Amino acid sequence: DAALWGFDFPFALPVELFPAGTAWPAQLDFLREWGEEAYACGVECCRRARLLGDKLHLRRATDADAKAPFDCYHYRIIYQTFYGMRDVVFPLSGTPGTAVLPFQYRKLPRARRVLVECCPGSVLKKLGLPHQNYKQPNGGPLTRKRLRTRHALFAGVEELVRVTDRQRRVMMRNPGGDAVDA
């Protein structure tokens, strides 16, 4: 309660992939029709995009504005999009006291919690902070480059939010960078 929740996955697919006037809940229904076939759903999105022109991948306006690294049904993102929308956002969208923005502004006056889509890398870009080389996908102790990048990142972030010593330790010890994103 009394919280703003930012989730690091897309809340919607490009509207162009659906008939004109299709409402957002229909996208949630579309995902539910695919069972556990997230990848196949992404392939279907590519097929629909191809019917519109030469592009396999369409970016939502928000993806272009935020300079997101991938479109929301790219093969590296479709699982996050698919399961996030279907298994997290869909159930929460019907929860009393919860508003999913930008789709449920009508619920905002009564909302006790608000859910928004966010992309940590895009937020860092917008703030002019390091947004690359803070993750170390191979694991192990952080390389010098990753250490320098994270220290610079924390210096900028700490001007905006309080980061406790314990939080900093957790973020510095997490090679994958998920703790930093969170």
Side-chain angles (χ1 to χ4, degrees), residues 22-42:
T22 299
W24 176 67
Q27 289 193 16
L28 301 171
D29 293 337
F30 167 76
L31 295 176
R32 291 174 48 227
E33 293 169 5
W34 285 91
E36 297 301 315
E37 299 296 325
Y39 187 83
C41 179

Side-chain angles (χ1 to χ4, degrees), residues 18 43 47-48 64 82 93 102 111 126 143-144 146 161 164 167 175:
F18 298 90
V43 171
R47 186 192 72 77
R48 290 178 178 203
F82 184 88
S93 69
K126 184 144 183 103
T143 63
R144 283 186 162 181
R146 276 17 183 224
V161 295
T164 67
Q167 290 168 331

